């Protein structure tokens, strides 16, 4: 984790035209994929809503000298810090339960612009992140448990992500954008005592992009 943080800081220090900062937030719609030690899936788990936040920095990879939101380079690398909630609910006639988790992560994306003009742009982006649990609660009936003591939720999760964005230029160096992404969170150490857990998330985002150079 410290190694990735150092790489992120180095990227921020590179002085290249076309750099931009961004911030986005939005909704996570998450479905837990859980298997017990017998390989059985819990079919009572339902998708639930959470939120996410990401702040980051990007610069061009194609060598173009661009300035202003109307002159995007076509290919960019982005790196960011994220906080994501992955939640789920479930239960039956006799017992209800839910999970509420919050993960801190580092992300790296490559973004490719499909369309660019003075007012509107569109792009696709994809990449990977590494996340770790910073807060988590499990509620079963009227009892609440701390998920930080649960091995399936701990450790590092690898989170590949792919999506599309629409950017609207509202000023020379400012753009507003929205996007939809699909993300999967996989525990890097695999199953624990035969139990495995992963998250499948649809992420809807809204944010602001500010050109710096």
């Amino acid at each position: 984790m410290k190694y990735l943080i150092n790489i992120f800081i180095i990227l921020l220090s590179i002085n290249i035209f076309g750099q931009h900062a961004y911030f986005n937030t939005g909704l996570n719609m998450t479905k837990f994929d859980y298997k017990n030690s017998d390989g059985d899936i819990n079919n009572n788990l339902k998708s639930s809503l959470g939120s996410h936040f990401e702040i980051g920095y990007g610069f061009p990879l194609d060598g173009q000298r661009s300035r202003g939101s109307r002159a995007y380079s076509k290919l960019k690398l982005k790196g960011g810090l994220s906080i994501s909630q992955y939640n789920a609910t479930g239960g039956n006639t006799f017992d209800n339960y839910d999970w509420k988790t919050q993960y801190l992560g580092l992300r790296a994306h490559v973004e490719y612009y499909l369309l660019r003009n003075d007012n509107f742009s569109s792009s696709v982006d994809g990449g990977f992140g590494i996340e770790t649990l910073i807060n988590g609660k499990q509620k079963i009936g009227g009892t609440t448990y701390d998920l930080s003591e649960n091995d399936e939720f701990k450790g590092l999760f690898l989170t590949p992500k792919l999506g599309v964005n629409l950017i609207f230029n509202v000023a020379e160096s400012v753009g507003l954008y929205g996007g939809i992404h699909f993300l999967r969170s996989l525990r890097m150490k695999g199953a624990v005592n035969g139990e495995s857990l992963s998250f499948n998330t649809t992420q809807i985002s809204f944010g602001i992009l500010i050109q710096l150079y």
Side-chain angles (χ1 to χ4, degrees), residues 60-206:
L61 292 174
D62 55 9
Q64 292 189 30
R65 175 171 171 163
S66 64
R67 181 177 179 85
S69 59
R70 296 180 175 86
Y72 291 115
S73 297
K74 202 161 189 177
L75 186 65
K76 290 196 174 186
L77 174 65
K78 301 189 297 183
L81 299 172
S82 65
I83 295 179
S84 296
Q85 293 177 341
Y86 304 124
N87 302 330
T89 61
N92 50 46
T93 306
F94 305 101
D95 202 6
N96 293 317
Y97 42 88
D98 62 58
W99 287 266
K100 294 187 182 299
T101 67
Q102 192 171 60
Y103 283 78
L104 175 67
L106 287 173
R107 301 210 59 84
H109 306 264
V110 174
E111 184 172 22
Y112 179 77
Y113 282 82
L114 302 170
L115 172 67
R116 296 176 296 170
N117 60 43
D118 285 348
N119 301 306
F120 170 82
S121 301
S122 64
S123 69
V124 294
D125 67 340
F128 293 87
I130 294 179
E131 299 182 336
T132 187
L133 181 71
I134 57 174
N135 187 41
K137 301 294 181 184
Q138 177 183 9
K139 187 175 181 180
I140 302 177
T143 305
T144 301
Y145 302 91
D146 186 356
L147 287 176
S148 65
E149 301 174 0
N150 191 311
D151 288 337
E152 295 98 284
F153 289 85
K154 293 192 299 185
L156 295 177
F157 281 74
L158 180 67
T159 57
K161 183 177 179 181
L162 181 67
V164 297
N165 307 285
L166 299 177
I167 304 101
F168 299 91
N169 303 320
V170 296
E172 175 63 24
S173 297
V174 179
L176 299 179
Y177 68 94
I180 182 168
H181 292 80
F182 302 96
L183 182 151
R184 183 165 173 81
S185 302
L186 303 164
R187 191 172 187 274
M188 295 181 67
K189 288 188 176 181
V192 180
N193 298 322
E195 297 178 290
S196 65
L197 175 69
S198 60
F199 313 134
N200 297 303
T201 301
T202 300
Q203 196 171 77
I204 298 174
S205 303
F206 301 94

